[in-house]
Amino acid sequence: MLFSHYDRYQYARSPLVEVICQLRFPAILSINANDPVNFQEAIRQEFPRFNKAQERPAPKMTMVDGAPKLVQPDPITNYSFISEDGLWKLNLTQNFIALSTLRYHRWEDFAQRLDRPLAQFIQIYHPTFFERVGLRYVNAFSRRALGLEGTPWSDLIQPAFLGVMAEPDVDESKIGKCSLEVNMALEDNCRMKVHAGPGLLGGGKKDPEVKFILDNDFSSAGNIAPDKVASGLEDLHYHAVRLFRGALTSELHTAMGAEPLV
């Protein structure tokens, strides 16, 4: 079953490419107007590298004097705070704060890394509530890295994520493109967006191997009080664990070196 309960595992050969947690809030204009000096000072030991970029939102159509007009919104400043090894990045704009990593081991480590910056953000900027809390896992399964070259995806990925590739009379080598896109509501006031299918990381510029991409974005929306964020993220993580494990066959689960988490 796709949404059954599964025990948690750690994988010696994890397919995770990136993990991102983003929390959106009603615009706090002071973030865009002034550099976040106090915020940087509070997190500088963990995120010593700094970058500042101006981003231009997409033009919006609006009514001006009764006629439609394309209006270019003001630029938004995106502040980046990066760990010394470059594997962890914290982004802050007037609309969101986000933590991303290229080195994810387990949820508890990620949550702990998020805890201090988020607490400092709340203390300094006093958001009334968060409009959206999101947790995204980007996975890329490599048959080469797992010693499974020549094994069809239908032996490694559950049929619900394969589309026509799950059919025994379909030759995988003849498929140019086959992907699954899902957007659905879950329990606990959560939503799930999934992209699944073969693809090339970075357009194949550095790595020509076709991998199976499993990109899961779980979120909750509404007026989420700051003191409810931690429990909300636990719910999103629980859904992510269920979906990930439900996507794997036992052959792939074993090939990745699964070890139970205690």
Side-chain angles (χ1 to χ4, degrees), residues 23 39 43 90 97 113-123 127 130 226 229-230 233:
L23 299 98
F39 181 71
I43 65 168
L90 192 69
I97 182 171
R113 196 83 179 220
L114 174 65
D115 185 63
R116 178 174 173 78
L118 182 57
Q120 291 297 326
F121 167 77
I122 292 170
Q123 181 178 335
F130 292 95
V229 167
L233 283 171

Side-chain angles (χ1 to χ4, degrees), residues 1 3 24 33 41 45 51 68 73 91-93 96 100-101 107 109 133 142 144 169 181 185 211 219 238 242 249 253:
M1 298 292 289
F3 294 108
R24 300 194 69 87
E41 197 59 30
Q45 292 301 313
N51 187 50
N91 287 91
L92 177 66
T93 76
F96 72 80
S100 60
T101 184
W107 168 247
D109 299 333
V133 176
S142 166
R144 181 188 303 160
D169 60 344
E181 304 289 341
K211 299 177 175 63
S219 65
Y238 171 67
R242 292 198 301 168
T249 65
H253 178 69

Side-chain angles (χ1 to χ4, degrees), residues 79-122:
Y79 300 98
S80 299
F81 309 88
I82 304 166
S83 63
E84 185 176 359
D85 60 12
L87 297 176
W88 294 81
K89 183 168 67 172
L90 192 69
N91 287 91
L92 177 66
T93 76
Q94 67 177 20
N95 297 106
F96 72 80
I97 182 171
L99 177 67
S100 60
T101 184
L102 306 176
R103 185 178 61 191
Y104 181 98
H105 293 297
R106 57 189 294 172
W107 168 247
E108 289 78 8
D109 299 333
F110 186 90
Q112 184 178 15
R113 196 83 179 220
L114 174 65
D115 185 63
R116 178 174 173 78
L118 182 57
Q120 291 297 326
F121 167 77
I122 292 170

Side-chain angles (χ1 to χ4, degrees), residues 70-82:
L70 198 62
V71 176
Q72 176 65 59
D74 293 335
I76 294 175
T77 305
N78 191 330
Y79 300 98
S80 299
F81 309 88
I82 304 166

Side-chain angles (χ1 to χ4, degrees), residues 16-223:
L16 271 171
V17 175
E18 188 174 18
V19 179
I20 307 162
C21 176
Q22 186 193 72
L23 299 98
R24 300 194 69 87
F25 47 84
I28 299 176
L29 299 181
S30 62
I31 297 175
N32 212 44
N34 303 289
D35 289 345
V37 176
N38 292 339
F39 181 71
Q40 185 201 28
E41 197 59 30
I43 65 168
R44 189 160 51 86
Q45 292 301 313
E46 296 88 353
F47 300 90
R49 302 182 188 275
F50 174 75
N51 187 50
K52 175 181 176 180
Q54 293 289 318
E55 298 180 350
R56 287 198 169 273
K60 294 182 178 180
M61 188 66 69
T62 186
M63 299 298 293
V64 178
D65 297 327
K69 183 179 180 180
L70 198 62
V71 176
Q72 176 65 59
D74 293 335
I76 294 175
T77 305
N78 191 330
Y79 300 98
S80 299
F81 309 88
I82 304 166
S83 63
E84 185 176 359
D85 60 12
L87 297 176
W88 294 81
K89 183 168 67 172
L90 192 69
N91 287 91
L92 177 66
T93 76
Q94 67 177 20
N95 297 106
F96 72 80
I97 182 171
L99 177 67
S100 60
T101 184
L102 306 176
R103 185 178 61 191
Y104 181 98
H105 293 297
R106 57 189 294 172
W107 168 247
E108 289 78 8
D109 299 333
F110 186 90
Q112 184 178 15
R113 196 83 179 220
L114 174 65
D115 185 63
R116 178 174 173 78
L118 182 57
Q120 291 297 326
F121 167 77
I122 292 170
Q123 181 178 335
I124 294 170
Y125 291 105
H126 308 288
T128 307
F129 57 84
F130 292 95
E131 297 173 310
R132 183 184 185 275
V133 176
L135 186 60
R136 181 181 177 188
Y137 291 86
V138 182
N139 301 276
F141 300 92
S142 166
R143 289 182 287 201
R144 181 188 303 160
L146 296 172
L148 295 171
E149 290 183 282
T151 304
W153 290 122
S154 56
D155 286 351
L156 305 175
I157 304 294
Q158 294 290 355
F161 297 86
L162 291 174
V164 298
M165 288 194 301
E167 298 299 325
D169 60 344
V170 172
D171 183 350
E172 178 188 307
S173 66
K174 298 185 183 302
I175 295 177
K177 182 178 180 180
C178 180
S179 63
L180 173 77
E181 304 289 341
V182 177
N183 187 337
M184 66 179 289
L186 303 175
E187 58 197 48
D188 304 320
N189 193 34
C190 299
R191 290 202 70 85
M192 175 186 77
K193 292 175 66 177
V194 176
H195 165 83
L200 296 169
L201 288 178
K205 294 179 180 178
K206 295 183 178 180
D207 185 355
E209 182 194 3
V210 175
K211 299 177 175 63
F212 193 90
I213 310 298
L214 183 61
D215 185 348
N216 311 319
D217 188 354
F218 298 87
S219 65
S220 56
N223 296 351

